[in-house]
Amino acid sequence: SHRPVWIEPYFDKGGGNVVMCTYSVPFYRDGKFMGVTTADVRISELLKKVSGIDEQTGGYTIIMAASGRFIVHPDPRMILSGTISEYAKKVNAPGLTIIEKRIQRGEIGFEEISNPVTGEPAWVLFSPISSTGWSLAIVYPRATMLRPVYRARLVIFAWGAVAILLLALIVIYVARTITSPLSELSRVSREIASGKLDERVNIKDTGDEVSDLADSFNNMVDTLLSCKRVLDQTTEVKERMEAELKSAAEIQKSILPE
């Protein structure tokens, strides 16, 4: 095919006793095929590169060869000795069979399944590796994936609670600002009703309707007090005149013969 190719991974028995994969590149001179150069790569090196995903998310990575055999798997016993369908039967995870079919079709996507390792809900993201013919799948625990959402929800609830508390405090303050002058007005009204006309509503002038009501009430009490004074003076004059008339009548009666 005149193109570089990745050889199916194999166990290099006697040559290191490790799982290897070989990258082969043909080379030419003047258009004539001269040979093939190869580079062997240990799967363990590949595993180191993808293990960081596990540490960051709590998930794990699976890499499958073109034949469907596992190259990287959290269970070392499955490497080069099992496929997805075999593993699905072993752990009773039918959702993996659906993923295998989609991977064989070269699809990129995700499926929600029960984690075969922990049994907890998980998402599996998968994609073909076009340069090698392999396939990559990453298993993310759903709780890990949604952790930022849960944290954001807690933050929203916390800020919501703070906002509600502040709103309640504002409502209480405004209510007291309104009801306190009205309570003072009610107290002064009772005092005036008992005859204490020297009482006045003493509240802070806020320039609102309640303050205007207090001013009007005080003016009414001042007018009432003025009317009372006039009435008291009129009554006093009337009583004095009646006393003088009565005294004059008695004097006249004593002077005139019977």
Side-chain angles (χ1 to χ4, degrees):
S1 61
H2 306 287
R3 293 181 301 176
V5 294
W6 284 92
I7 305 301
E8 183 82 6
Y10 57 93
F11 183 77
D12 188 12
K13 186 176 182 180
N17 294 324
V18 293
V19 178
M20 304 282 291
C21 57
T22 301
Y23 186 63
S24 303
V25 181
F27 60 93
Y28 301 84
R29 177 179 295 176
D30 299 329
K32 183 178 179 181
F33 175 75
M34 300 298 296
V36 177
T37 183
T38 64
D40 294 333
V41 180
R42 292 186 178 186
I43 295 299
S44 58
E45 296 298 323
L46 180 62
L47 184 58
K48 290 180 182 179
K49 294 183 180 297
V50 300
S51 62
I53 298 176
D54 305 351
E55 297 173 358
Q56 297 172 12
T57 66
Y60 55 89
T61 303
I62 295 174
I63 297 179
M64 292 151 288
S67 62
R69 293 190 304 165
F70 291 116
I71 302 174
V72 175
H73 192 278
D75 184 355
R77 294 172 299 178
M78 297 300 297
I79 296 177
L80 297 183
S81 62
T83 63
I84 290 186
S85 58
E86 294 171 353
Y87 186 65
K89 293 177 181 178
K90 178 180 178 181
V91 298
N92 192 25
L96 292 177
T97 304
I98 298 175
I99 294 174
E100 180 184 34
K101 293 179 180 179
R102 295 186 63 181
I103 288 176
Q104 290 174 349
R105 293 196 295 266
E107 295 184 17
I108 300 175
F110 72 94
E111 289 281 347
E112 184 172 359
I113 65 170
S114 176
N115 192 325
V117 175
T118 64
E120 298 176 353
W123 288 340
V124 180
L125 291 86
F126 51 87
S127 173
I129 305 175
S130 57
S131 60
T132 62
W134 301 347
S135 299
L136 171 70
I138 303 175
V139 181
Y140 289 101
R142 188 174 65 178
T144 301
M145 292 291 291
L146 297 180
R147 189 175 299 153
V149 178
Y150 296 150
R151 290 176 179 173
R153 185 173 62 181
L154 289 176
V155 170
I156 292 173
F157 285 165
W159 279 109
V162 171
I164 292 174
L165 178 60
L166 290 177
L167 180 61
L169 293 176
I170 292 173
V171 170
I172 292 173
Y173 172 77
V174 172
R176 288 184 175 179
T177 302
I178 296 174
T179 58
S180 180
L182 294 178
S183 299
E184 173 68 9
L185 181 60
S186 176
R187 183 191 67 80
V188 173
S189 298
R190 291 193 299 270
E191 295 291 337
I192 291 175
S194 65
K196 298 179 181 180
L197 297 180
D198 57 340
E199 290 285 341
R200 294 293 182 274
V201 178
N202 185 17
I203 63 174
K204 184 178 179 180
D205 186 6
T206 56
D208 56 8
E209 291 79 1
V210 176
S211 180
D212 293 341
L213 178 61
D215 292 338
S216 299
F217 185 86
N218 288 336
N219 292 334
M220 181 191 69
V221 175
D222 290 339
T223 302
L224 181 62
L225 183 59
S226 297
C227 292
K228 182 179 181 300
R229 288 172 181 169
V230 171
L231 180 61
D232 290 343
Q233 292 174 358
T234 302
T235 302
E236 182 181 355
V237 171
K238 181 182 177 182
E239 289 177 351
R240 188 171 62 250
M241 289 179 63
E242 288 179 350
E244 290 176 353
L245 288 173
K246 183 179 180 180
S247 178
E250 290 177 354
I251 294 171
Q252 183 180 11
K253 183 179 181 180
S254 64
I255 295 174
L256 295 176
E258 294 182 359

